Amino acid sequence: MAAGISNEKYNHIDEIKNEVREILEDLIAQAKPMEGDVLVVGCSSSEVNAHKLGTFSSEEIGQALFEEISKVASEHKLYVAAQCCEHLNRCLCVERELAIKRGLEIVSVVPKLKAGGSFATAAYKNMDNPVMVETIKAELGMDIGDTLIGMHLRAVAVPVRTKINTVGNAHVVCARTRPKYIGGERAEYI
């Protein structure tokens, strides 16, 4: 196996799937997204498995988390945008349908375990019609392992505190977005 790639079996797959589901359901309950909104997810399988970011990519963990996240997103009629690692400049794997609807420019690359990451690799393998895009402006975000998803959130990002904030050993941060407030002292906001 290549350096930095894990081929060991992770013993807590059901546990991490339950944790990610609980966090995501909590995020959705608080954020109240609309049908067709985008959830951007960054994920370090290394961090989930108690290793330093980018040092121990696990195909098994990436696959399990993508399955659970895409299942929950589908139940709530949300799109998933899977952020790649820094080696692919944090580009994203999305469904072609979403890229067309949002007018996103498709780029040519295929994520792999050490160039894209395990989560984006799983997304590319399992989406119905995956394409890669350079950027997106998502309404919701879930960052598993401090992978820095902020560049792909709409302005204005608002932190969402969920009941639990770890998946495996990885720290999780969630966000929703809201429209910008404009105007002065006479302005009223919704």
Side-chain angles (χ1 to χ4, degrees):
M1 197 49 71
I5 296 177
S6 167
N7 61 2
E8 68 183 46
K9 287 302 213 182
Y10 189 75
N11 297 323
H12 306 289
I13 291 296
D14 289 338
E15 183 179 324
I16 63 170
K17 287 174 95 170
N18 289 337
E19 289 167 348
V20 80
R21 174 175 279 277
E22 185 175 338
I23 292 169
L24 192 48
E25 291 287 2
D26 195 359
L27 169 61
I28 290 167
Q30 291 184 60
K32 299 174 180 48
M34 298 184 351
E35 182 177 321
D37 279 356
V38 176
L39 167 71
V40 63
V41 178
C43 177
S44 169
S45 61
S46 301
E47 293 272 338
V48 171
N49 202 15
H51 294 276
K52 183 180 170 193
L53 182 76
T55 62
F56 211 64
S57 297
S58 168
E59 187 173 5
E60 179 186 27
I61 291 172
Q63 179 67 34
L65 291 176
F66 178 76
E67 285 173 8
E68 198 63 27
I69 290 168
S70 64
K71 188 185 308 181
V72 174
S74 178
E75 291 166 6
H76 292 276
K77 298 181 172 50
L78 302 173
Y79 287 102
V80 173
Q83 179 182 273
C84 290
C85 70
E86 65 179 298
H87 297 98
L88 295 185
N89 296 327
R90 303 202 193 290
C91 69
L92 306 124
C93 182
V94 299
E95 290 287 1
R96 182 178 297 276
E97 174 185 335
L98 174 63
I100 292 168
K101 278 184 181 179
R102 296 242 174 146
L104 305 174
E105 185 174 351
I106 296 171
V107 296
S108 183
V109 71
V110 176
K112 301 291 180 201
L113 286 181
K114 294 305 287 178
S118 64
F119 185 76
T121 300
Y124 195 84
K125 287 180 181 175
N126 291 280
M127 285 184 173
D128 293 331
N129 195 355
V131 296
M132 303 302 293
V133 298
E134 206 167 7
T135 188
I136 199 164
K137 293 297 180 190
E139 291 79 14
L140 300 168
M142 175 185 259
D143 189 332
I144 303 168
D146 302 320
T147 62
L148 303 176
I149 61 166
M151 65 190 282
H152 295 304
L153 290 170
R154 286 186 175 191
V156 173
V158 178
V160 174
R161 304 289 183 229
T162 54
K163 293 177 191 109
I164 62 172
N165 64 0
T166 57
V167 171
N169 291 286
H171 178 244
V172 178
V173 176
C174 293
R176 66 176 176 82
T177 60
R178 65 158 174 80
K180 295 176 183 180
Y181 296 149
I182 61 169
E185 62 187 41
R186 296 182 191 178
E188 293 182 19
Y189 305 109
I190 299 174

